[in-house]
Amino acid sequence: MRRNAGWALGIAAVVGIIIVCRIDISAARFFESDAIVRDAFPNAAQPPYYDPAPFSLWLPSDWFVWDSVRSGHLPLWERLQGGGYSPVITFQNGVFHPLRWLVALAPRDMAPSVLIALAVLLAAYGMWLLLLDLGRSPVAAGLGAALFVMSSPLLENLHFSGDLLPLAHLPWLILALHRRSLAGASIVTALLVMSGHPLFVVTVGIAAIGFVIAEAASSRSARPVFDVVAATVFGAGLAAFTFVPTIASAGDLWFYKTQTHQGSVYALFDPMDRWLHAVASMFVDLRTPASAFGDPEFWLYVGVPAAVLAGAGLVRAGTYDRVLAALLFLFFVLTVPGIWMLQISTMKPLMYMNRSYFAGGMTFMIAVFASAGYDLLSHHRFGRMVAIVCAIAAVAIYAARAGEVLHPRIWHDVTGGDLIAKLRSDPAHRMIGTLGQTHLPNSSRITGIEDVRESTPVWTVRKHLWWQAVDPEIRANSFPTFRLTDRVESPLVGDFNVGWVLRSRLRVSGFINLPGPQNHPAAVIEPWSGLVRPRVHFADHVVFVRGMSDAARVLGVRPPQRVRGGLHIPQRSGAPENLEVVEWNGAPPVMPAVASAAAIVRYPSDSTAVIDASSATGGLVVLHDTWERGWRASIDGKPADIVPVNLISRGVMVGPGRHRIEMEYEPFRFREGLGISMTAVIGLLIACKPRRK
């Protein structure tokens, strides 16, 4: 009990120091490399990555949850980015994880740093308890906890909360299963499912199954297997409200892992010299000054001192340890795959994994064996000195690398600068950016400036088609988790109330920006040159179609045609720029010529919109915010239909006169998921109820 209290006080002290001293260890610094804030931070380094998806996905999402919780609303709809999207449907954001809600108690600027600190410290605490349960000494348990939470795979993902949180649950899940606590294992499983990146969840699941097999083999009993099955069922049930909407909306979604060749990223280390180089990177730090945290030379590193301790732990006898050794070998093969895995590397779901996804499981097992090796060596006079030297060296090396990644500093606002000030002076309009990492997609939650662009691995099919209508070649110009294009003159862009275009002056090579001409700004803001539509208005020219496919066809979503002299991009020939393509079931209504019409919109919360509309004739009121299944509308308190307009906007038919239109979002099948979760809670309480003797 005293030790547990010590951990609690230590965690509270670290969090308190971060808040009081305003110590920033978050990914906010990487937004200083954004050209939109470059004039405020001229000495900022270039982003150390080629795909901005991780930084622009997790940090803005963490702040979105903070904003939602502090405003007293569920984090169901992110309104500021891409015209709006549902983080519940895209699932990876993990917006319902309790730790994300807990950090809402911290100041907004400090919340991402507090989230990192809590995840790491709780993971260390869980690892320490697990190793004690496995028979390690307190010193060895502390060593194993330090090696796990400061291992290179966790350091690589410190700034990506959706990757970090699943790994932080790993020791807790195995601890609950080892103690055969059905309630504990079920709750941790539910939290794991809610934590974020589903493929990191797979890694945690593999490790947990390996430990369960070891328990079953050593005890010669199938009871551990039944325990993990029961915990999986109850845990999935508890978390059902977070993923049932995603499953129910699967037909509406476009996932880059399954729809593009870039999604199949499980690349082998081939030829043999690359595999040998990767293995060498595990023992020797082979990074170069140009290496980034995402390079194999970084996340593969284990180090000789830790490897010596783990090697000593591997000599332990017993069925339990042999099974765990096999689990370590499995993670090694998955993390450092060679050409001999060519046949299975293209099989689903392995083909959608990344080698680094498995690295956390491998270093977790290395930490387990390193703690065993420390105790084993400590029983011998000469070995004790070797154990102490290796432990000190390993912790020192890992701590230095952790400091390099965290790079603690005093918090300062990253959203200063003339460009941001200019955009903020016109809050009525959205912006769009052209090719080049001049303003990261999903920065709106940080800058407060609404951006038509969006960064997410999961798109709705409608939004995917909408971008194809804007630029049929868009996927050839950017990584599929975001959309960047220089073809911003499309009327569809103007529909979304775009008033400004951020144009890059950096040279683009692949996905990486290179320095531009000296004494020139990295980016320039220009007024959008096309027709700027109000965010909400009565439709002028309406075409009714029967469904999404017909709407896409009318809007010009078709393959580009090769013609003499280059590429011809089909456009909406002969159609007015202010065309509204409306999907309508049944006979289309007769549309009057709109007269004396006006409409204004306000947002009581991210997931609600209120429109005050008036007209002498009535008609179709169009709000250029994203349509998605789950949006409901009422007119003067009476239910009304919302129809898709131009694939992704929302439309409501109103009669003559003044009307109040209220729109509210709730993810499709969200209540059914809640029902399953409540049933699972009741079932778990019954299953864990103490039996009378």
Side-chain angles (χ1 to χ4, degrees), residues 92 196-204 255 257 349 352-354 357:
Q92 285 203 346
H197 202 310
L199 297 181
F200 277 86
V201 172
V202 170
T203 293
V204 174
F255 186 31
K257 287 278 187 178
Y352 302 134
M353 300 291 286
N354 190 304
Y357 295 170

Side-chain angles (χ1 to χ4, degrees), residues 32 113 123 126 134 143 189 275 292 296 589 667:
E32 293 179 3
S113 297
L134 293 178
L143 171 64
T189 299
W275 185 84

Side-chain angles (χ1 to χ4, degrees), residues 108-273:
R108 190 180 192 273
D109 295 344
M110 296 292 96
S113 297
V114 170
L115 181 60
I116 293 172
L118 283 177
V120 170
L121 292 174
L122 289 173
Y125 181 36
M127 188 69 170
W128 185 72
L129 291 175
L130 172 62
L131 293 176
L132 288 179
D133 270 27
L134 293 178
R136 310 294 192 263
S137 67
V139 174
L143 171 64
L147 294 183
F148 173 58
V149 298
M150 292 193 295
S151 63
S152 296
L154 264 78
L155 294 181
E156 183 201 11
N157 292 291
L158 280 179
H159 294 127
F160 313 148
S161 60
D163 300 349
L164 175 62
L165 284 178
L167 295 174
H169 287 79
L170 176 52
W172 289 100
L173 179 58
I174 296 175
L175 176 65
L177 292 171
H178 180 73
R179 293 182 176 182
R180 297 191 175 178
S181 170
L182 177 59
S186 299
I187 292 171
V188 176
T189 299
L191 294 174
L192 175 64
V193 172
M194 297 162 59
S195 61
H197 202 310
L199 297 181
F200 277 86
V201 172
V202 170
T203 293
V204 174
I206 292 173
I209 291 172
F211 271 82
V212 167
I213 294 174
E215 293 273 359
S218 62
S219 64
R220 299 178 180 270
S221 169
R223 171 70 184 277
V225 177
F226 294 136
D227 288 345
V228 75
V229 170
T232 301
V233 171
F234 279 116
L238 293 174
F241 70 100
T242 66
F243 63 80
V244 164
T246 306
I247 295 174
S249 303
D252 302 334
L253 302 178
W254 184 95
F255 186 31
Y256 91 102
K257 287 278 187 178
T258 59
Q259 298 293 329
T260 70
H261 71 277
Q262 291 103 319
S264 304
V265 294
Y266 190 66
L268 307 178
F269 287 106
D270 177 53
M272 191 64 180
D273 58 345

Side-chain angles (χ1 to χ4, degrees), residues 357-387:
Y357 295 170
F358 297 112
M362 182 180 71
T363 51
F364 173 81
M365 296 306 304
I366 289 173
V368 169
F369 280 107
S371 64
Y374 180 89
D375 278 346
L376 188 67
L377 290 172
S378 296
H379 291 152
H380 302 83
R381 185 176 180 181
F382 175 74
R384 185 178 305 165
M385 183 59 66
V386 173

Side-chain angles (χ1 to χ4, degrees), residues 389-659:
V389 170
C390 286
I392 293 174
V395 171
I397 293 171
Y398 280 35
R401 291 166 68 88
E404 178 184 345
V405 174
L406 290 171
H407 192 58
R409 62 175 190 174
I410 302 301
W411 167 265
H412 59 260
D413 187 9
V414 298
T415 59
D418 294 339
L419 291 179
I420 284 184
K422 186 172 184 178
L423 290 169
R424 283 179 171 171
S425 67
D426 181 21
H429 292 102
R430 293 183 174 102
M431 65 157 286
I432 192 171
T434 55
L435 285 172
Q437 291 179 14
T438 53
H439 183 45
L440 297 179
N442 283 19
S443 296
S444 293
R445 191 53 61 170
I446 300 170
T447 64
I449 302 163
E450 288 191 72
D451 194 339
V452 172
R453 299 170 303 154
E454 175 184 337
S455 175
T456 175
V458 183
W459 296 78
T460 61
V461 173
R462 289 180 174 277
K463 194 166 283 188
H464 168 68
L465 292 174
W466 186 86
W467 278 108
Q468 290 296 113
V470 171
D471 178 4
E473 290 292 288
I474 194 166
R475 280 177 51 203
N477 295 325
S478 61
F479 198 78
T481 57
F482 58 95
R483 302 292 187 270
L484 293 174
T485 178
D486 287 331
R487 190 178 294 276
V488 295
E489 70 277 4
S490 168
L492 291 172
V493 174
D495 281 349
F496 264 73
N497 194 231
V498 170
W500 301 95
V501 179
L502 181 70
R503 295 193 181 274
S504 172
R505 287 189 174 178
L506 302 178
R507 295 185 292 116
V508 180
S509 175
F511 301 124
I512 304 176
N513 284 332
L514 301 176
Q518 294 295 319
N519 301 321
H520 283 276
V524 62
I525 286 289
E526 298 175 354
W528 195 74
S529 58
L531 175 67
V532 179
R533 303 294 299 278
R535 182 171 303 216
V536 59
H537 59 88
F538 279 81
D540 298 321
H541 299 85
V542 178
V543 172
F544 291 96
V545 296
R546 290 192 175 274
M548 179 177 65
S549 298
D550 290 341
R553 192 159 44 248
V554 172
L555 292 173
V557 182
R558 59 178 70 93
Q561 302 168 2
R562 294 286 174 183
V563 297
R564 182 176 297 178
L567 187 69
H568 169 64
I569 309 296
Q571 299 295 325
R572 292 187 275 174
S573 58
E577 284 192 334
N578 55 349
L579 177 69
E580 312 286 358
V581 181
V582 181
E583 298 171 40
W584 193 272
N585 293 323
V590 176
M591 294 294 296
V594 179
S596 303
I600 59 173
V601 62
R602 56 187 175 87
Y603 300 96
S605 71
D606 279 337
S607 56
T608 56
V610 177
I611 301 171
D612 291 311
S614 63
S615 70
T617 58
L620 179 71
V621 177
V622 179
L623 174 63
H624 288 293
D625 288 352
T626 304
W627 181 94
E628 192 173 286
R629 278 204 295 176
W631 276 101
R632 301 190 303 268
S634 64
I635 301 176
D636 301 327
K638 298 179 180 179
D641 293 329
I642 299 182
V643 293
V645 179
N646 289 350
L647 286 173
I648 62 172
S649 297
R650 305 178 213 147
V652 177
M653 294 292 296
V654 300
R658 294 179 177 272
H659 300 282

